[in-house]
């Protein structure tokens, strides 16, 4: 019997699993897919927590401010390559615009903008969804005292792909830079840039910074990362990417390793399909066992407690069951809060369907939206599956997942 089974391997499930495993619990994580971290910029948004806590039913209302802060600190501890910016305009978007972020990878943190003399945008050849012609004017606005230059970098290894019309994504490049060969090619390219700028630097010009997409210096063995970055002849700043996101992907891999290093076990490609319930002494119900489909077989899993981290409509936690737009929670068939209006005709407005999800009590146990009674005593709901919030408009996607994942990991 497991102490805890976590269902879902996105940010919320992984963090919950890590915290529980660190508390000496015997934890199994089952997940069908990789989660939305692969689309995620790598920049952790908490949103305006104070304001969001005033919104009826918002998940932040389930926790006090101190608990939210503890979760945030915990994420920083787990990922020492992240730093807390206190929400300043701290990083560059894929279009070279300033973007705020609450916890950001160190390699993305902007230097003092006024102290930069020259900014060299390094453009790897054939990189999909990267638009230097848009990025350069935006960088001109960001580095007001700086001069912007562009250097193209032709990487032999990708030339053939390029000629064949195969898209070269940020993930492909980020993986390549991590190879010995890739690191050497990048170091040489940066060395050439330094040579070009050497006379200016000797004449007292302010610093030269290389800005580049598709580089992930984080989630790398810490000592090695330090060496890897320090090895570049000029300071290098990373720009965030559109999806597929190398930052999100490496963060997901890093969190999995942390979880496994703590003794947690993972079954990939495993879909939880149903559960069996039993009554408790005080008249409630609890999950007795979980049925999981993996590699064509059904596995029965038993645990004291279950953390449900299956995401929302995108993650697979909520699914449409018929053409009448009826939806259900996919594992325990929990009662779903469904807003009266499903969508708004104004694309950029709040979309009511984003608020659909599972309501819980302060312990994160699911409740019936009508009676407010706890439905399952030993199940904890975390992350995107929670009701009454919109990660995109409220810009608090990772913040809610981290807070709820941390709290569940502490409670189980
Ligand atoms: C395109 C996009 C960009 C984003 N960008 C940002 C950003 O820049 N900053 C930010 O803060 N937030 C961002 N977010 C939001 C943030 O990534 C999410 O809110 C958060 O990661 C949700 O995590 P989750 O673990 O709750 O769910 P998910 O990431 O959806 O994970 C759910 C997991 O459960 C698994 N699963 C589902 N059903 C089952 C089942 N029955 N059995 C087993 N496993 C199952 C899935 O395979 C998946 O692994 C973005 C989200 C998206 C979609």
């Amino acid at each position: 019997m497991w102490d805890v089974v976590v269902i879902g391997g996105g940010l919320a499930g992984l963090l919950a699993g890590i915290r529980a495993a660190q508390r000496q619990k015997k934890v199994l994580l089952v997940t069908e897919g990789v989660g939305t971290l692969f689309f995620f910029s790598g920049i952790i948004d908490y949103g305006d927590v104070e304001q969001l806590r005033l919104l009826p039913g918002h998940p932040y209302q389930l926790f006090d401010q101190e608990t939210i802060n503890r979760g945030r600190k915990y994420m920083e501890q787990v990922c020492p390559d992240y730093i807390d910016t206190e929400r300043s305009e701290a990083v560059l978007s894929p279009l070279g615009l300033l973007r705020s972020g609450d916890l950001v990878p160190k390699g993305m943190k902007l230097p003092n903008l006024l102290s930069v003399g020259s900014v060299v945008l390094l453009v790897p050849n054939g990189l999909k969804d990267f638009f230097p012609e848009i990025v350069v004017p935006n960088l001109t606005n960001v580095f007001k005292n700086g001069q912007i230059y562009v250097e193209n970098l032709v990487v032999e290894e990708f030339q053939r792909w390029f000629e064949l019309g195969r898209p070269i994504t940020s993930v492909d490049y980020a993986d390549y830079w991590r190879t010995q060969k890739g690191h050497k090619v990048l170091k040489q390219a940066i060395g050439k840039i330094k040579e070009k700028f050497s006379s200016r630097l000797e004449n007292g010009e302010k610093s030269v910074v290389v800005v580049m997409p598709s580089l992930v210096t984080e989630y790398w063995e810490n000592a090695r990362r330090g060496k890897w970055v320090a090895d570049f002849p000029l300071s290098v700043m990373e720009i965030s990417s559109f999806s597929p996101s190398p930052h999100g992907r490496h963060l997901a891999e890093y969190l999995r390793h942390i979880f496994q290093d703590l003794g947690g076990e993972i079954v990939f490609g495993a879909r939880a399909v149903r559960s069996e319930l039993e009554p408790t002494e005080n008249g409630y119900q609890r999950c007795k066992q979980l049925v999981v489909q993996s590699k064509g077989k059904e596995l029965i899993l038993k645990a004291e407690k279950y953390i449900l981290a299956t995401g929302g409509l995108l993650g697979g936690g909520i699914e449409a069951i018929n053409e009448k737009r009826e939806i259900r929670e996919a594992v325990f068939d929990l009662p779903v809060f469904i807003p009266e209006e499903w969508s708004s005709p104004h694309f950029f407005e709040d979309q009511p369907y984003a608020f659909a999800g599972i309501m819980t009590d302060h312990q994160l146990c699911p409740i019936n939206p009508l009676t407010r009674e706890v439905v399952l005593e030993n199940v904890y709901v975390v992350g995107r599956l929670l009701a009454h919030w919109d990660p995109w408009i409220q810009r608090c996607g990772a913040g809610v997942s981290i807070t709820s994942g941390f709290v569940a990991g502490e409670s189980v």
Side-chain angles (χ1 to χ4, degrees), residues 44-56 58-72 84 86-87 102-103 394-403:
I44 292 176
D45 296 313
Y46 266 75
D48 186 340
V49 176
E50 228 170 274
Q51 288 300 314
L52 293 174
R53 289 189 72 232
L54 301 175
L55 299 180
H58 194 281
Y60 281 153
Q61 280 200 339
L62 298 168
F63 320 106
D64 55 33
Q65 183 70 52
E66 197 206 320
T67 307
I68 297 173
N69 294 345
R70 278 179 55 224
R72 187 160 164 163
D84 201 323
E86 282 149 22
R87 213 166 170 74
D102 292 290
L103 294 175
Q394 297 169 347
R395 295 281 288 265
C396 59
V400 168
S401 293
I402 291 169
T403 310

Side-chain angles (χ1 to χ4, degrees), residues 8 11-12 31-33 35-36 39 41 43 45 99 270 272 310 315 384 397-398:
L11 180 59
T31 189
E32 186 177 27
T36 53
F39 304 109
S41 63
I43 300 159
D45 296 313
R99 179 206 195 286
T310 45
R384 185 64 195 101

Side-chain angles (χ1 to χ4, degrees), residues 150-171:
V150 176
E151 283 290 329
N152 293 305
L153 173 55
V154 175
V155 173
E156 285 305 321
E157 271 78 353
F158 289 124
Q159 247 346 65
R160 181 89 183 116
W161 291 21
F162 188 43
E163 283 158 17
L164 288 171
R166 184 194 188 290
I168 310 164
T169 67
S170 288
V171 167

Side-chain angles (χ1 to χ4, degrees), residues 25 31 48 139 143-144 167 192 227 230 234 236 258 268 286 316 364 397:
K25 302 287 170 187
T31 189
D48 186 340
L139 290 183
F143 295 94
K144 290 204 173 15
K192 281 191 189 148
K227 185 169 173 344
L234 289 171
V236 178
I258 298 275
F268 292 106
R286 68 195 305 276
L364 294 170

Side-chain angles (χ1 to χ4, degrees), residues 160-234:
R160 181 89 183 116
W161 291 21
F162 188 43
E163 283 158 17
L164 288 171
R166 184 194 188 290
I168 310 164
T169 67
S170 288
V171 167
D172 297 321
Y173 266 113
D175 282 352
Y176 177 66
W177 303 133
R178 283 181 180 232
T179 62
Q180 266 193 351
K181 175 81 194 294
H183 182 242
K184 198 171 150 199
V185 168
L186 191 52
K187 195 174 154 184
Q188 272 170 357
I190 297 171
K192 281 191 189 148
I193 295 173
K194 190 175 178 186
E195 261 172 54
K196 265 197 187 174
F197 283 82
S198 58
S199 56
R200 292 181 197 211
L201 285 167
E202 279 156 20
N203 290 334
E205 177 167 311
K206 291 182 205 162
S207 68
V208 178
V209 173
V210 174
V211 171
M212 68 178 292
S214 311
L215 177 69
V216 185
T217 57
E218 288 74 33
Y219 331 118
W220 200 236
E221 219 184 294
N222 273 351
R224 205 161 152 203
R225 171 193 183 268
K227 185 169 173 344
W228 198 69
V229 178
D231 230 16
F232 294 139
L234 289 171

